[in-house]
Amino acid sequence: MAPIEQRLREALSGTDDRAPRPITNLDLPLGADRWLANFMKGLRPAAVLAPVLRRGDAYSVMLTRRAEHLSSHKGQISFPGGRRDDTDVSVAANALREAQEEVGLDPARVEVLGYLDDYPVVSRYLVTPVVGLIDGDFTAQADPSEVAEVFELPLELALDRKAYARKSLTRDGLVVPYYELNWQNYRVWGATAGMLWNLCERVNAAR
């Protein structure tokens, strides 16, 4: 097993989807506690799959660029995922179903390694990231109704703290910090970069 995979497995060992789950640290400014408490009320459950592809000793993270005609987060970089359906028997089932629908990934090919912290997003969902490992070649078959493009980011870059920039935006009068990660022509920011940062912190803390 490659050292990077061993670090990944160790970092995610012991994580599960049982409630109550940890919420990612959004690093909001002082005085934002009341705003966050109100925002968290009534968030709908959702899940994304953070797919790590292993091809020999090469590891990458698969990401998608959302279709431009979507009503929310159009054109943004994301993990495959979406809201939980009544038919989903678990968080992992939710993430795997969405990945199959969006990029044609057979759930049987995915080894679930663990879970990252829940992440609240502005579209009123509380998202649970599921980290899964896919061994061997995989050719994505993007559903054009949801996905404009599928690409891969080197896992080594995703686990490099120096690759992330800390930025901020103003929403409803509140200055909201976020992470940004740039690679080639892709700008990964917001919730997706925050989830990758959570993975980065977990893996580096496990060293």
Side-chain angles (χ1 to χ4, degrees), residues 63-136:
L63 294 161
T64 69
R65 182 169 61 83
R66 290 169 59 82
E68 294 290 344
H69 60 260
L70 295 175
S71 58
S72 62
H73 309 294
K74 60 183 180 181
Q76 292 184 12
I77 304 302
S78 67
F79 291 117
R83 66 184 179 186
R84 185 162 182 175
D85 286 350
D86 293 338
T87 56
D88 295 324
V89 297
S90 66
V91 172
N94 179 177
L96 293 170
R97 174 184 56 77
E98 289 283 351
Q100 185 172 34
E101 293 173 0
E102 292 185 19
V103 299
L105 177 59
D106 182 357
R109 291 200 59 180
V110 183
E111 177 190 356
V112 173
L113 299 182
Y115 304 83
L116 302 175
D117 296 346
D118 284 356
Y119 203 106
V121 296
V122 294
S123 49
R124 306 295 300 175
Y125 287 97
L126 185 61
V127 182
T128 302
V130 181
V131 181
L133 181 67
I134 299 96
D135 185 37

Side-chain angles (χ1 to χ4, degrees), residues 156-169:
E156 186 175 359
L157 179 68
L159 300 182
D160 181 3
R161 288 188 175 112
K162 296 186 216 175
Y164 294 82
R166 191 68 163 154
K167 300 192 175 183
S168 63
L169 56 82

Side-chain angles (χ1 to χ4, degrees), residues 52-70:
V52 176
L53 288 88
R54 175 178 63 201
R55 298 185 181 92
D57 291 331
Y59 291 77
S60 61
V61 180
M62 184 173 67
L63 294 161
T64 69
R65 182 169 61 83
R66 290 169 59 82
E68 294 290 344
H69 60 260
L70 295 175

Side-chain angles (χ1 to χ4, degrees), residues 117-194:
D117 296 346
D118 284 356
Y119 203 106
V121 296
V122 294
S123 49
R124 306 295 300 175
Y125 287 97
L126 185 61
V127 182
T128 302
V130 181
V131 181
L133 181 67
I134 299 96
D135 185 37
D137 289 334
F138 167 70
T139 302
Q141 298 176 352
D143 177 359
S145 68
E146 296 189 69
V147 176
E149 182 184 3
V150 181
F151 68 97
E152 295 176 29
L153 176 82
L155 179 60
E156 186 175 359
L157 179 68
L159 300 182
D160 181 3
R161 288 188 175 112
K162 296 186 216 175
Y164 294 82
R166 191 68 163 154
K167 300 192 175 183
S168 63
L169 56 82
T170 302
R171 185 181 298 276
D172 300 328
L174 182 70
V175 177
V176 180
Y178 66 89
Y179 287 101
E180 182 174 301
L181 174 65
N182 288 280
W183 182 71
Q184 295 186 350
N185 296 322
Y186 300 104
R187 175 185 178 234
V188 187
W189 68 286
T192 303

